[in-house]
């Protein structure tokens, strides 16, 4: 039980680590993680269960990812992001000069199936998620790192999704 003393524990951190065990398995190529009950807890089974991505949800996400060269699954909309990570991702894409005509955002807060499905689809646990040319790039942390090291600008330019710099006219 949660209140039981663990005789081999030396610290509170050790107790927390011993309390839970995490397993992951990849049925049918989909990564799923289950947090199981404590080893000595009398309940059997997962505390949180996972779902496998349905064929319909996968097809819908495939279609969504193909709508534009740059697709962001986020909380809220570009005009009104509902979390700081989504806001930061939009700001980074704006700083990079992504062409709005080549960009689409999907608000995962409007559809719980999409919200959970995109995490399974990309095998990435957090939102926002960026796709460029149908390929998963990463979440906000990856975008921030790529922005800082210049690799995001290079990739977006190579993919032709940034607004072309206007040439200065010579007088």
């Amino acid at each position: 039980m949660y209140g039981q003393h663990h005789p081999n524990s030396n610290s509170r951190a050790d107790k927390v680590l011993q309390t839970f065990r995490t397993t992951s398995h990849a049925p049918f190529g989909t990564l799923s993680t289950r947090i199981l009950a404590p080893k000595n807890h009398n309940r059997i089974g997962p505390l949180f269960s996972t779902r496998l991505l349905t064929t319909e949800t996968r097809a819908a996400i495939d279609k969504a990812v193909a709508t534009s060269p740059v697709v962001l699954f986020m909380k809220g909309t570009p005009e009104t992001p509902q979390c700081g990570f989504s806001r930061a991702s939009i700001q980074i894409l704006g700083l990079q000069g992504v062409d709005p005509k080549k960009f689409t955002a999907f608000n995962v807060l409007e559809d719980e199936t999409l919200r959970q499905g995109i995490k399974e689809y990309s095998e990435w646990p957090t939102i926002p998620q960026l796709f460029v040319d149908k390929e998963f790039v990463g979440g906000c942390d990856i975008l921030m790192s790529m922005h800082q090291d210049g690799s995001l600008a290079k990739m977006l330019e190579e993919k032709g999704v940034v607004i072309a710099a206007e040439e200065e006219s010579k007088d």
Side-chain angles (χ1 to χ4, degrees):
M1 292 176 72
Y2 289 100
Q4 284 185 333
H5 174 68
H6 298 280
N8 297 331
S9 297
N10 296 327
S11 71
R12 187 171 199 276
D14 290 334
K15 289 178 186 176
V16 171
L17 290 174
Q18 290 176 1
T19 302
F20 293 100
R21 50 191 170 109
T22 303
T23 63
S24 56
H25 60 286
F28 311 111
T30 301
L31 177 67
S32 60
T33 302
R34 297 188 308 166
I35 301 173
L36 301 177
K39 290 180 186 178
N40 57 354
H41 194 276
N42 60 3
R43 276 183 52 191
I44 297 174
L47 293 174
F48 304 100
S49 62
T50 59
R51 306 177 321 185
L52 294 177
L53 193 59
T54 66
T55 304
E56 294 99 14
T57 302
R58 180 173 295 282
I61 294 172
D62 282 340
K63 186 176 179 181
V65 167
T67 58
S68 295
V70 179
V71 177
L72 183 67
F73 293 89
M74 63 181 291
K75 293 179 181 176
T77 65
E79 297 79 20
T80 56
Q82 297 298 306
C83 86
F85 298 114
S86 291
R87 180 180 311 281
S89 297
I90 288 294
Q91 290 174 339
I92 289 169
L93 295 174
L95 288 171
Q96 293 293 330
V98 171
D99 186 343
K101 295 174 189 166
K102 297 179 179 181
F103 171 79
T104 302
F106 290 92
N107 181 0
V108 301
L109 298 178
E110 292 178 350
D111 185 345
E112 186 62 27
T113 303
L114 175 61
R115 185 176 184 171
Q116 295 308 315
I118 192 64
K119 295 174 186 179
E120 294 175 40
Y121 181 88
S122 64
E123 298 182 0
W124 191 259
T126 59
I127 294 169
Q129 294 186 10
L130 180 69
F131 290 78
V132 177
D133 279 346
K134 302 178 191 172
E135 291 184 33
F136 177 65
V137 175
C140 184
D141 54 342
I142 303 298
L143 290 181
M144 183 66 73
S145 177
M146 292 176 72
H147 172 68
Q148 291 172 343
D149 71 15
S151 60
L152 182 60
K154 181 179 178 186
M155 178 191 66
L156 294 171
E157 193 171 311
E158 287 172 354
K159 300 288 186 178
V161 297
V162 293
I163 297 173
E166 296 178 6
E167 292 182 18
E168 293 181 25
S169 58
K170 295 182 180 181
D171 292 329

